[in-house]
Amino acid sequence: MGLDRIELTGKRYLRGEFVPPSDKSISHRAVILSSLAKGRSSVKNFLRAEDTLSTVSAFRALGVEIKERGDELLIHGKGIRGLKEPGNVIDCRNSGTTMRLLSGVLAGSSFFSVLSGDDSLRRRPMQRVIAPLREMGAEIWGRDGDKYPPLAIRGGALKPVRYSLPVASAQVKSAILLAGLSAEGETEIVEPLQSRDHTERMLPAFGAEIAVKGLSVKVKGGAELKGRDTIVPGDFSSAAFFMVAALVMKGSEVVIRNIGINPTRTGLMNVLKRMGADIAAEHLREISGEPVADIRCRGGNELRAVSIGGDEIPLLIDEFPILCIAATRAEGVTSIAGAGELRVKESDRIKAIATELRKLGADLEEYPDGISIKGKAALRGCEVETYGDHRIAMSLSIAALMAEGTTIINNASCVDISFPGFFEELKRLAKD
Ligand code: S3P
């Protein structure tokens, strides 16, 4: 990651059409399931970004043939038992999804492997995958008393478990589901709150037996997955930056095409509506088992503060930084609680956004599990830090457009983790 600086000046509004980059979560899962399936699969509209390419390199290191044709992947899967021992440490770089989902796959693969990553990933909690995978019989260890990466895994025969997740996490749920594929019998996972369900939606399409009932997901081990074609919709989380920018800047009108609107991902849209924003989904359809729409955002409505917490949090977990930017424009005090998980994302996102938004002039209070923001304080351009976190970088870029004067964003190239071309799109849509 470079130490590059981006300079952005305040703009008046955003206008135009925008096709967001492909969904990161679904792209990871399509590569993983295609690699575990027998035979040929394709992934159309695959997200070519740093995180998802880490998953591609990982499966190549495990012996899977993956060809890239533009934004289409052609994958020749070897079956669940067909992966081979990697000759080196697998570098997951910045990607928590790669590391956690892969740990579930490797727990059931009878060879030795080591997973590591960049400075940020090596500080992220891994006990949450180690504990359930050990319960299933895997030999798996982590640094510092099993807290952090690198992870060392000696996979083998697994037994099914019934596991209640202590925190809502789609990554941990998916790791256990993937391990459950090779366990003998039925594995059940119960979540405290609903998290994104892309794995549950995709698994049956590859031939796995899944039963979802409320917050419980069951998977039958032993089924053979068969290759198939997957089309990846646009990423709601990437579109969110442009959504908020358009909604808070008077005179804006942006149509976001082909965006995934899975209800486990669209919490931000519900909150923005509650705040009074003019936002509407059109042309609802389905692509590869995921709901998709075009979303029209018109700026200028006065926004009012709202309280956000409880079961809404997992549905907007990645949108916290950009939601904070929207809150600076709302009348009253917006509060977000029950979001302590944000402290262990690519950065401590509560601290990062509180520190940098304060520099820009926002009036806010930081809490262990959230934040409160008193809206309508004028933002003024200044120099801000991204902490190498893509979503902090993009959120601060939108704040910079709303601010008076010029903002310098240090270490901005981390946007490539999920949204290569972000600054070009911003330049194209933002008008003086
Ligand atoms: C993801 C799950 C979420 C999310 C992350 C992607 C996934 O993480 O924050 O960006 O693709 O499963 P957690 O499972 O840690 O909540």
Side-chain angles (χ1 to χ4, degrees), residues 24-26 28-29 97 100-101 124 128 168-174 195-196 198-199 317-318 341 344-346 349 390-391:
K24 182 157 85 70
S25 290
I26 299 175
H28 280 297
R29 287 156 171 80
T97 309
R100 295 202 178 113
L101 270 60
R124 298 189 63 191
R128 53 182 66 193
S169 163
Q171 291 178 354
V172 179
K173 172 175 63 177
S174 302
S195 68
R196 65 190 66 187
H198 304 301
T199 310
I317 191 72
D318 290 341
E341 267 297 294
V344 291
K345 294 289 178 189
E346 286 86 325
R349 285 186 172 156
H390 54 133
R391 299 201 198 280

Side-chain angles (χ1 to χ4, degrees), residues 197 201 261-267 270 291 315:
D197 65 356
R201 282 175 186 256
I261 54 156
N262 180 320
T264 62
R265 297 287 300 281
T266 52
N270 301 333
L315 314 180

Side-chain angles (χ1 to χ4, degrees), residues 111-292:
F111 50 72
F112 175 75
S113 52
V114 179
L115 303 177
S116 195
D118 69 7
D119 291 349
S120 152
L121 185 55
R122 281 183 284 105
R123 286 194 297 265
R124 298 189 63 191
M126 291 298 149
Q127 177 70 42
R128 53 182 66 193
V129 286
I130 292 179
L133 294 175
R134 267 195 191 151
E135 231 178 276
M136 296 178 82
E139 293 185 67
I140 173 167
W141 306 269
R143 179 176 70 80
D144 195 4
D146 295 328
K147 283 201 199 77
Y148 304 111
L151 299 181
I153 304 168
R154 184 175 291 286
L158 298 179
K159 49 181 189 290
V161 283
R162 182 178 194 276
Y163 194 80
S164 290
L165 294 186
V167 287
S169 163
Q171 291 178 354
V172 179
K173 172 175 63 177
S174 302
I176 305 171
L177 281 171
L178 291 167
L181 287 176
S182 55
E184 236 174 76
E186 191 177 69
T187 295
E188 180 177 9
I189 303 133
V190 183
E191 290 197 275
L193 302 169
Q194 174 75 56
S195 68
R196 65 190 66 187
D197 65 356
H198 304 301
T199 310
E200 300 91 294
R201 282 175 186 256
M202 200 181 281
L203 271 168
F206 279 87
E209 261 186 72
I210 298 285
V212 180
K213 203 171 168 201
L215 295 171
S216 143
V217 192
K218 290 179 187 162
V219 62
K220 268 223 178 89
E224 187 155 286
L225 303 187
K226 287 179 290 294
R228 73 178 312 265
D229 302 328
T230 305
I231 306 172
V232 184
D235 198 321
F236 185 92
S237 299
S238 297
F241 304 104
F242 289 89
M243 211 177 269
V244 167
L247 293 171
V248 299
M249 294 168 83
K250 234 192 194 111
S252 297
E253 177 150 1
V254 172
V255 178
I256 306 171
R257 300 260 181 231
N258 191 42
I259 168 174
I261 54 156
N262 180 320
T264 62
R265 297 287 300 281
T266 52
L268 175 77
M269 194 156 76
N270 301 333
V271 169
L272 290 169
K273 279 185 187 158
R274 219 155 75 220
M275 293 172 91
D278 184 353
I279 178 169
E282 305 165 351
H283 305 127
L284 272 63
R285 54 207 187 265
E286 202 177 286
I287 297 181
S288 295
E290 292 280 347
V292 171

Side-chain angles (χ1 to χ4, degrees), residues 66-144:
I66 304 180
K67 284 194 190 127
E68 297 172 59
R69 296 237 174 91
D71 60 6
E72 181 174 1
L73 299 180
L74 301 171
I75 301 179
H76 199 163
K78 301 267 163 60
I80 288 176
R81 309 233 171 260
L83 301 177
K84 72 165 185 34
E85 185 171 85
N88 203 345
V89 171
I90 294 180
D91 185 0
C92 304
R93 300 198 285 178
N94 192 248
S95 176
T97 309
T98 306
M99 182 171 285
R100 295 202 178 113
L101 270 60
L102 207 51
S103 68
V105 171
L106 296 172
S109 304
S110 48
F111 50 72
F112 175 75
S113 52
V114 179
L115 303 177
S116 195
D118 69 7
D119 291 349
S120 152
L121 185 55
R122 281 183 284 105
R123 286 194 297 265
R124 298 189 63 191
M126 291 298 149
Q127 177 70 42
R128 53 182 66 193
V129 286
I130 292 179
L133 294 175
R134 267 195 191 151
E135 231 178 276
M136 296 178 82
E139 293 185 67
I140 173 167
W141 306 269
R143 179 176 70 80
D144 195 4

Side-chain angles (χ1 to χ4, degrees), residues 10 39 141 181 195 217 303 309 334 347 351 376:
W141 306 269
L181 287 176
S195 68
V217 192
L303 301 185
T334 295
S347 69
K351 185 168 165 211
K376 298 283 183 185

